[in-house]
Amino acid sequence: MIRADHAVGGALAALGLLVLALSGDLPIGTLSFPGAGMMPKLLASLLVVFGLLIAVRARESAPLADVSWQDLPHAMRVAAVTGVAIAFYQTLGFVVTMGLLLFVLIFGIERRHPVPAAAFSAGVVALTYVLFSIALKTPLEPGLLGF
Amino acid sequence: MGTVESLLLGFSVALQPDVLWYAFLGCLVGTVVGVLPGIGPLSGISILLPATFGLDTTKSVVMLAGIYYGSQYGGSTTAILMRIPGEASSVMTCIDGYAMAQKGRAGAALCIAAVGSWVAGTFGVLMLTLIAPPLAAFALRFGPPEYTALLVLGLIFLAYMSSTSLPRTLLMACLGLLLGTIGIDSMTGHFRYSFDIAELGDGIGIVPVAVGLFGLGEILATPSANVVRDVIAPKLAQLLPNIDEWREAAMPIARGSILGFLVGLTPGSAHIISSFLSYGVERRLAKHPEEFGKGAVAGVAGPESANNAASTGAFVPMLALGLPTGPITAVLLAALMIHGVPPGPTLVNEHPDVFWGFVASMYVGNLMLLALNLPLVGVFVNVLRIPYAYLYPLVIMFCIIGVYEVNHSIVDVWIMLIMGLAGYLLRKFGLDPAPLVLGLVISPTLEMSLRQSLIMSNGNWTIFFQRGIALALLALCFALLALAALSLRRGRKDWRSRLAEAEAGDCAVE
């Protein structure tokens, strides 16, 4: 039976091997003058060792099938909306991007009434803009529209 | 300059109106952060870090530290009134605090938690005042081998104290250390794992990783439908405990303060561990242990005092040695560095206004928190009435602003999103992200000191065993590893296993 720690240990050991493969051109150097590759290669090797250790002792963990993924669709939706907001943040600026982000999350993902969602989004964005730009003197990203 | 004169200098800085204002702001935000479940002090500090760029070093550190110790006060409110820990360190307060609230003693429980927090916080600052300067003076003897040994000890101690298994903690620490090697190698100029992305040349920042793992990761792992809030409204007229309750609280507060401060000096999630240990100690010492779980005053007073003393204790290695004992102090160190103040043993002498101003502000901050958390508890309870569906989008917005404003780098914000997803997966598989952040923070120092040690000894690795301090620190490392191995070999449950079980839901720490 595949257990949760088989997956975790295996994945992290594989990550360690990948890092070792990517470190090919980094010089290890000598003990008297360690090179740029010494520390990363040492750590990647330790990652492989600890990953395998966890995989070997996996019988103490729960079966992989028991890990609940019920919240995954919600998490993916939130992450996707956040990703889109990040992609447009520098283009559209703080006010537009964050106003849309809040509205889409509250109305689109959480299925709340659109009027309070819009009012909350607009109010919070305006308040934050004033707080950062005026009170804290930390101007937020202006974007194409200039604010 | 003696301690008293230095402290007076600190008060002359801390009592300036603008410093007082930022201390108050930090305490206020910290209390709100502590009250709100799902937003920890780390997210709060990281998000507000960019807002301190326009301030001088003292004001910014005073405000950010206020968020940290303020959150320890605020966490108890949610624990007592809702049986939800606003902070991980308030888990134990949930049990007897909520039981007291159900018996109509919510006000008394809140008052005991606030007074205990104040006593412990003030005790912690007093000890910090006495211990940090001589420790910093001693640390001036440290060279690269001593720092290497100290950092290794920090990691091993963290792994030993962790309630998850030793290999899992070390695995996460290795991952963090590995992430810390990304960017230009400062000794040879080699680019490491930057994949032609210019922003990665400077390495991966602490803020995007910390905000992603702890802020966004927590949100992704908390579906809003699962957040149900049932708040017991405290009767403010009944805020004062009766004489019996004060008597029952006195010794647990004293014990919690001492225990919490000592645990706070060690690496790891000290403020969490200290509250679990204090609960266990109080239960063991109680004349009527059967009352624990049914509204025992000591079950609130001890853990709440311990977590506050621990959060102050964590400032000792941070200020005296420049070493973070956890992700929160790591971000505070980053704040110092961003403001051009190198943390470490020289901080006390080279920036006495920052050091002593910060220490003095904590005396004042603890008083502010006492004033904030008692009369205004009703206001904070109202914060809990904001539906989670409205609250978490707000937090995501602040995560994005917080990370972006540090370097005005959109790559950092993408890193935060990736780390948020990683944090979600780590939670699913029971891996603690805290060692990863700690590894990331100490990675450059550890690598530099290790390589410098080898260079200065011409490749002779026994240098670590030839110098007294380094040898003592490494001996401690081996002792801890031996203890962990012994416990593993015996297959017996020690206090760490019981702590892990309690954290997982069964709160019977004995």
Side-chain angles (χ1 to χ4, degrees), chain B residues 261-509:
Chain B
F261 182 78
L262 293 174
V263 176
L265 298 173
T266 62
S269 304
H271 55 297
I272 304 172
I273 294 168
S274 64
S275 64
F276 279 85
L277 287 180
S278 169
Y279 190 87
V281 167
E282 292 310 325
R283 190 172 165 166
R284 202 167 275 254
L285 294 177
K287 284 180 189 160
H288 302 285
E290 68 281 0
E291 284 178 9
F292 276 70
K294 296 171 190 164
V297 172
V300 176
E304 276 304 310
S305 308
N307 67 33
N308 273 274
S311 63
T312 314
F315 289 127
V316 174
M318 178 196 133
L319 291 171
L321 306 175
L323 286 177
T325 51
I328 297 170
T329 43
V331 176
L332 286 171
L333 280 182
L336 279 175
M337 288 191 271
I338 285 170
H339 283 89
V341 175
T346 54
L347 181 70
V348 186
N349 293 327
E350 289 181 7
H351 299 277
D353 52 333
V354 175
F355 180 87
W356 290 106
F358 171 68
V359 172
S361 80
M362 288 172 71
Y363 286 101
V364 183
N366 273 295
L367 270 176
M368 283 178 180
L369 281 164
L370 188 64
L372 267 176
N373 277 267
L374 281 179
L376 296 182
V377 71
V379 177
F380 293 119
V381 166
N382 283 330
V383 176
L384 291 167
R385 297 206 165 99
I386 301 173
Y388 187 70
Y390 283 82
L391 192 65
Y392 86 78
L394 195 66
V395 179
I396 292 180
M397 182 186 84
F398 279 113
C399 287
I400 294 175
I401 306 174
V403 171
Y404 182 77
E405 290 297 317
V406 176
N407 291 318
H408 283 258
S409 160
I410 206 70
V411 173
D412 279 355
V413 192
W414 284 115
I415 291 171
M416 177 203 72
L417 180 62
I418 294 166
M419 286 297 153
L421 291 166
Y424 171 79
L425 287 175
L426 293 180
R427 279 173 180 79
K428 284 282 163 203
F429 289 100
L431 292 161
D432 182 8
L436 190 154
V437 178
L438 192 65
L440 175 69
V441 174
I442 66 169
S443 182
T445 319
L446 179 62
E447 182 178 12
M448 181 64 84
S449 56
L450 177 64
R451 287 165 77 179
Q452 281 176 339
S453 305
L454 290 172
I455 290 169
M456 67 191 266
S457 67
N458 202 22
N460 182 3
W461 56 269
T462 58
I463 186 171
F464 299 108
F465 303 100
Q466 290 168 356
R467 297 163 66 117
I469 298 172
L471 178 66
L473 294 169
L474 286 178
L476 209 52
C477 289
F478 290 121
L480 285 173
L481 286 174
L483 275 176
L486 200 67
S487 137
L488 198 71
R489 193 178 158 82
R490 284 181 180 169
R492 225 174 54 191
K493 282 187 177 181
D494 63 0
W495 63 271
R496 292 169 299 141
S497 324
R498 290 197 291 274
L499 181 64
E501 281 172 9
E503 270 186 284
D506 171 17
C507 291
V509 177

Side-chain angles (χ1 to χ4, degrees), chain A residues 4-61:
Chain A
D5 278 3
H6 282 131
V8 173
L12 288 167
L15 178 68
L17 290 173
L18 179 70
V19 173
L20 283 173
L22 289 171
S23 317
D25 58 340
L26 288 175
I28 291 185
T30 59
L31 262 186
S32 54
F33 193 82
M38 182 206 69
M39 192 73 170
K41 285 177 183 176
L42 181 70
L43 290 168
S45 307
L46 283 173
L47 202 61
V48 175
V49 170
F50 288 126
L52 291 176
L53 197 62
I54 286 172
V56 165
R57 296 177 57 200
R59 67 173 190 279
E60 293 166 15
S61 68

